[in-house]
Amino acid sequence: MNNNFVHLHCHDEFSLLDGFGKPEHYAAQAKKLGFEYLAITNHGNVDGLIKFQQACEDESITPIHGAELYIVENINKKIRGEKRKHITLLVKEETGWNNLLKMLTIANMDGHFYRPRIDPKTLLNHLDGLVVMTACTSSFITSDWGLTLFEDLMNKIPHDLYLEIMPHDYDEQKSLNRFCVDISKDHNIKLVA
């Protein structure tokens, strides 16, 4: 069975307080559903990617590596109660993998404040080989600096930038979905569900 649908934003047990399943369960279910590819985008880490990759290989699924990173306006500002935002990154090839690891190193060494954090400067300096998606209702595009970052991304990687919409039935998500659809129409940026 050839299934064109691919889960590009999933969290497993390595996303603390957010993920649930084990990589082996996700890969087995993907195989059962006829998927050829599956991504894991855990929050602020790639800790489980080797386990995920092995599980996918065992089920003849092509793994897509990624992470949903925490992003703030400036990693040097560490203010209790800050509003961390999210951004989803997928690896296209080795350069992207190296850039994702560099950003995670910066997030943990320089930006860590309750969570490993990056900022727009860090992101924009490490985009090669990555696909960028706007994430969930905690998306960076909902911040006062987020649209500026989105414009920078449109200029730098227009073919590797996607607006995420999710079918969750609550007002905040519905509002963000409409916002993303409008941006997609206005700027010809692709949507991913």
Side-chain angles (χ1 to χ4, degrees):
M1 178 180 167
N2 184 352
N3 188 328
N4 291 326
F5 181 80
V6 178
H7 277 292
L8 296 175
H9 187 148
C10 294
H11 303 291
D12 65 18
E13 64 185 342
F14 291 92
S15 272
L16 297 177
L17 302 176
D18 194 30
F20 178 73
K22 294 181 177 298
E24 299 87 351
H25 299 148
Y26 285 6
Q29 184 67 13
K31 177 72 169 191
K32 182 178 173 183
L33 294 172
F35 293 176
E36 297 176 24
Y37 304 90
L38 180 64
I40 288 292
T41 54
N42 288 319
H43 281 294
N45 76 77
V46 292
D47 298 348
L49 285 186
I50 292 173
K51 190 174 180 182
F52 169 69
Q53 181 170 323
Q54 184 60 57
C56 286
E57 288 173 2
D58 290 347
E59 299 291 347
S60 301
I61 301 290
T62 302
I64 301 171
H65 299 310
E68 185 173 3
L69 299 188
Y70 299 104
I71 187 165
V72 295
E73 186 174 16
N74 182 340
I75 61 173
N76 296 314
K77 290 183 181 177
K78 298 181 178 180
I79 302 166
R80 191 178 180 115
E82 72 180 3
K83 300 292 184 208
R84 287 181 299 276
K85 295 298 182 175
H86 298 187
I87 189 165
T88 309
L89 305 175
L90 299 175
V91 173
K92 289 176 25 177
E93 33 82 352
E94 186 175 352
T95 301
W97 175 248
N98 291 333
N99 275 325
L100 178 58
L101 294 181
K102 286 176 189 172
M103 281 191 277
L104 285 168
T105 299
I106 292 167
N108 281 285
M109 299 298 291
D110 301 329
H112 199 280
F113 185 66
Y114 292 93
R115 297 275 188 272
R117 309 166 312 140
I118 62 167
D119 56 18
K121 179 181 175 187
T122 304
L123 177 69
L124 293 170
N125 287 332
H126 297 91
L127 284 174
D128 290 341
L130 293 169
V131 171
V132 176
M133 301 188 309
T134 55
C136 57
T137 53
S138 294
S139 174
F140 70 94
I141 62 172
T142 64
S143 69
D144 56 354
W145 48 269
L147 289 178
T148 300
L149 173 57
F150 190 80
E151 288 175 10
D152 291 340
L153 291 168
M154 282 192 304
N155 291 327
K156 289 189 96 164
I157 57 162
H159 302 296
D160 287 325
L161 177 62
Y162 294 84
L163 291 149
E164 281 188 70
I165 57 173
M166 298 182 181
H168 304 304
D169 191 21
Y170 58 95
D171 291 341
E172 189 177 15
Q173 183 65 59
K174 289 177 183 178
S175 176
L176 180 61
N177 288 348
R178 285 190 296 273
F179 184 60
C180 287
V181 168
D182 290 343
I183 293 173
S184 175
K185 289 177 183 175
D186 292 344
H187 299 285
N188 198 29
I189 300 294
K190 293 168 280 207
L191 292 168
V192 63

